[in-house]
Amino acid sequence: MFMNPVRTVGWLIIALLVTVIFGGIGVYQARTYFGGETVSAHVDHCETHRVYSRHGSHNETDCSGTWTTKDGSKHEGDIPGTDFSDEGHDVQLRALGDSVVEDNAVGALWPFIVSGIGVLLTIGAAFAVRSARRRSREMRAAPAYAGPPPGYRPPTQYGPPPPAYPQQYGQPYQGPPQGRPQPGPPQYGAPQYGPPAYPPQGQPPQGGYPPPGYPQQPGGYPRT
């Protein structure tokens, strides 16, 4: 299927943006996860709000709270990976100053998964752009259609009629066998009625035959 080069370039740009944005978020959260310390954060308040996008809308729950690092500094901000069930309770996080992430690798490093998908999409979109451009160049370089070649006739709906008599495959048709008429419409004429004459042509009569009134010569019924 031929793809529009402009559309494939658009998909390539989107894939690059996904890779760069989520890769940057992943680096930031990986720094907090690997360079931070484990803290106990208290979830003070949670609220739900409606988020709208071009594909629809959905509800999101954000929770905020406070935590204290080893140097005695008290921090506050959003608590990731929490909901209304955690309100008023303590959760364990990894903190680096004011930055916190969940205290598990999947929750902290999930942006790298999205970024990896973006890399695969970027590679696929790059190949699609290359293929679309090559196809576009081939179509521009192809000569214009000059019509059918000389002597060309479009095929008929039905093939050639079969031969009148069977023949051996691979041999040209030699006509009907000797003494056999060509096929054609039946010959019409006066019908011959009545029984055949007795005796048959060229045969001697037998005693007691023919019965009375039977014709002696070929043709017709006896006159009455």
Side-chain angles (χ1 to χ4, degrees), residues 20 27 32 49 65 72 74 87 103 117 126 134 140 173 175 179-180 184 187 193 196 199 201 209 220:
V20 172
V27 170
T32 303
H49 56 278
K74 189 175 182 178
E87 192 172 9
D103 192 25
I117 296 174
R134 182 175 65 250
R140 289 195 299 266
Y173 178 62
R180 194 169 181 180
Q187 300 295 327
Y193 298 101
Q201 188 77 21
Y209 292 94

Side-chain angles (χ1 to χ4, degrees), residues 29-203:
Q29 296 196 173
R31 176 175 173 270
T32 303
Y33 179 77
F34 292 108
E37 58 184 280
T38 302
V39 299
S40 179
H42 182 75
V43 181
D44 297 326
H45 175 69
C46 294
E47 63 179 11
T48 300
H49 56 278
R50 195 75 174 173
V51 177
Y52 296 91
S53 65
R54 59 182 299 181
H55 301 293
S57 61
H58 63 279
N59 292 329
E60 274 191 8
T61 300
D62 293 329
C63 297
S64 60
T66 59
W67 62 93
T68 303
T69 55
K70 291 181 180 179
D71 59 2
S73 301
K74 189 175 182 178
H75 306 270
E76 61 178 327
D78 292 335
I79 308 297
T82 55
D83 54 25
F84 281 102
S85 63
D86 300 311
E87 192 172 9
H89 298 84
D90 292 339
V91 295
Q92 192 169 334
L93 302 175
R94 298 296 289 270
L96 184 62
D98 290 332
S99 302
V100 289
V101 295
E102 296 181 43
D103 192 25
N104 62 81
V106 176
L109 305 179
W110 65 265
F112 283 126
I113 300 176
V114 181
S115 181
I117 296 174
V119 171
L120 297 178
L121 292 177
T122 301
I123 295 174
F127 276 106
V129 169
R130 181 179 178 183
S131 176
R133 288 182 174 177
R134 182 175 65 250
R135 179 64 176 170
S136 180
R137 288 194 300 267
E138 291 175 354
M139 292 182 64
R140 289 195 299 266
Y145 178 66
Y152 171 80
R153 292 190 306 171
T156 57
Q157 184 178 2
Y158 303 99
Y165 295 97
Q167 59 185 12
Q168 297 294 329
Y169 292 103
Q171 298 182 3
Y173 178 62
Q174 303 295 335
Q178 186 174 4
R180 194 169 181 180
Q182 285 280 3
Q187 300 295 327
Y188 296 98
Q192 299 294 327
Y193 298 101
Y198 182 83
Q201 188 77 21
Q203 297 291 332

